[in-house]
Amino acid sequence: MTAPLTGLRVLDLATLFAGPLAATMLGDFGAEVIKVEHPAKPDPSRGHGPGKDGVGLWWKLLGRNKRTITADLSTPGGREVLLRLAAGSDVVIENFRPGTLERWRLGWDELSGANPGLVLARVTGFGQFGPYSRRPGFGTLAEAMSGFAAITGEPGGPPTLPPFGLADSIAALATSYAVMTALRARESTGRGQVVDLAIIEPILTAIGPHPLWYDQLGYVQPRTGNRSRNNAPRNTYRTADGSWLAVSTSAQSIAERVMRLVGRPDLIDEPWFAHGSTRAEHADELDEAVGGWIARHNRDEVVGAFEKAEAAIAPVYDIQDVLADPHYRALGTITEVPDPELGSLRMQNILFRLSETPGAIRWAGRPHGADTDTVLAEHGFSASDIARLRSEDAL
């Protein structure tokens, strides 16, 4: 079956996570993604985190389904390469600081002049305008400035940052959505457009109604650890065999089932139990009841009892547990990908399943510049052109 984005060509000029991950998501569903990297300074994700035999493992995930070429876009030859590739592409994704492409005479005027139907996705920390637009921006700063870190952590403790690229990942999802929206608009107008995505904004959407709460009530949510101000019991609890379990009672019926299960049906009749917010005011009492019961049983006993009672519970997994879990296996959430450098690799599968036009992982991240000659030849560069560009240090 043909993947739904087959025929779409994407130029990935971005580095590190948000922009490149958006391109990965498009590639997973059939888009031809050409990763353009500097000849001497490849995407830093190639060396980010642990590696094996000198090969970066994060890149194997982030670079999957991409062909890799090198071009120094700041040189005349690199500009020539990009303009010719852009003329035959649908999407360009970049994350240079605002003004950088313009300085290289590769801004929107030049790119759209080469291809009026092009969609240019500009993914930066703070967007293309405003007082912070020229600051260096990373996901960590977005996690801090969005309000996420301020509400994460234990009461009285410091704000807590996630130990992974949360803001970048949310921004990548938003970017891929924005690109597809712009392409859909192109079907009506025949014209491409610029996507201006600031990494500080999608995560602000993800934290929910906090701006509304402040605007209408003056309410600023404090750090509550694993508890919620909206319902209780909601926490992590330790079992008799040392495992941790997460319990959620967002629905009233679930909260009632949990209290019956742990032997405290009397609490259901309390007036405050009828609403999540008032239950949260009695979190100490509820946590004592739930946590005390869970502490007397091992993990399998607790999970089995909750499932029988149709109450919501989940083990707190590390990645070892994820890879061993039978439900993840049934879904195919982790898949094996053959790789000529490292052999078989296990990594996250594509994001969702389509019944008629599924996506696929065709290969893991390829070596730096592995496809330069092939891709350039496909776009009309002769062997002598490629040799010339190399002699000019453009490739």
Side-chain angles (χ1 to χ4, degrees), residues 301-319:
E301 290 171 342
V302 175
V303 171
F306 267 70
E307 287 185 351
K308 186 176 180 181
E310 297 184 354
I313 195 166
V316 176
Y317 278 174
D318 62 21
I319 195 59

Side-chain angles (χ1 to χ4, degrees), residues 28-308:
D28 285 349
F29 285 91
E32 177 196 353
V33 180
I34 299 172
K35 175 74 175 181
V36 183
E37 297 174 87
H38 191 281
K41 294 176 284 188
D43 189 325
S45 66
R46 289 182 179 273
H48 220 77
K52 181 181 178 183
D53 299 335
V55 178
L57 295 175
W58 204 329
W59 167 251
K60 287 296 179 183
L61 174 68
L62 195 62
R64 73 188 191 192
N65 291 335
K66 300 179 183 182
R67 294 200 288 171
T68 62
I69 73 168
T70 60
D72 183 347
L73 303 182
S74 68
T75 66
R79 180 177 182 275
E80 176 188 351
V81 168
L82 185 64
L83 286 175
R84 191 175 301 188
L85 266 61
S89 297
D90 300 281
V91 180
V92 171
I93 300 176
E94 64 98 0
N95 70 338
F96 300 106
R97 286 199 211 181
T100 300
L101 282 183
E102 286 73 13
R103 190 171 70 248
W104 296 338
R105 293 189 300 124
L106 287 169
W108 177 239
D109 289 344
E110 291 82 4
L111 291 172
S112 62
N115 180 356
L118 190 71
V119 171
L120 174 61
R122 315 195 80 164
V123 185
T124 57
F126 300 100
Q128 295 296 307
F129 58 91
Y132 305 156
S133 60
R134 292 186 179 273
R135 289 183 181 180
F138 298 99
T140 298
L141 308 188
E143 289 145 11
M145 290 181 64
S146 63
F148 171 84
I151 61 173
T152 305
E154 292 299 321
T160 301
L161 297 166
F164 64 97
L166 176 63
D168 281 302
S169 299
I170 297 172
L173 287 162
T175 301
S176 60
Y177 166 57
V179 165
M180 297 309 299
T181 302
L183 290 172
R184 177 65 182 87
R186 187 180 71 175
E187 293 178 11
S188 301
T189 66
R191 299 189 307 275
Q193 59 184 296
V194 177
V195 171
D196 177 9
L197 189 135
I199 296 173
I200 58 172
E201 291 182 308
I203 189 172
L204 185 56
T205 295
I207 68 168
H210 290 263
L212 274 169
W213 287 344
Y214 180 73
D215 176 65
Q216 296 296 305
L217 305 171
Y219 174 68
V220 178
Q221 180 173 313
R223 289 186 285 283
T224 58
N226 291 323
R227 287 180 172 176
S228 169
R229 286 294 177 99
N230 304 314
N231 66 81
R234 193 265 196 182
N235 213 327
T236 56
Y237 306 94
R238 197 165 193 176
T239 65
D241 55 353
S243 298
W244 287 94
L245 300 171
V247 171
S248 176
T249 58
S250 296
Q252 180 69 22
S253 59
I254 299 294
E256 293 175 7
R257 290 171 195 168
V258 169
M259 301 322 296
R260 292 190 186 100
L261 172 62
V262 302
R264 292 298 308 273
D266 55 298
L267 294 177
I268 298 172
D269 297 325
E270 295 287 346
W272 49 261
F273 197 88
H275 302 283
S277 58
T278 49
R279 290 202 311 272
E281 295 171 2
H282 295 261
D284 286 343
E285 186 174 0
L286 293 169
D287 275 347
E288 183 179 352
V290 175
W293 184 87
I294 288 176
R296 296 193 296 272
H297 300 82
N298 65 37
R299 187 181 84 168
D300 290 344
E301 290 171 342
V302 175
V303 171
F306 267 70
E307 287 185 351
K308 186 176 180 181

Side-chain angles (χ1 to χ4, degrees), residues 315-341:
V316 176
Y317 278 174
D318 62 21
I319 195 59
Q320 242 184 145
D321 299 317
V322 170
L323 267 62
D325 183 86
H327 191 76
Y328 278 129
R329 285 181 177 173
L331 293 175
T333 307
I334 303 295
T335 189
E336 287 198 29
V337 180
D339 182 71
E341 290 185 287

Side-chain angles (χ1 to χ4, degrees), residues 355-367:
S355 62
E356 299 300 321
T357 55
I361 302 171
R362 302 180 296 283
W363 60 81
R366 289 174 54 71

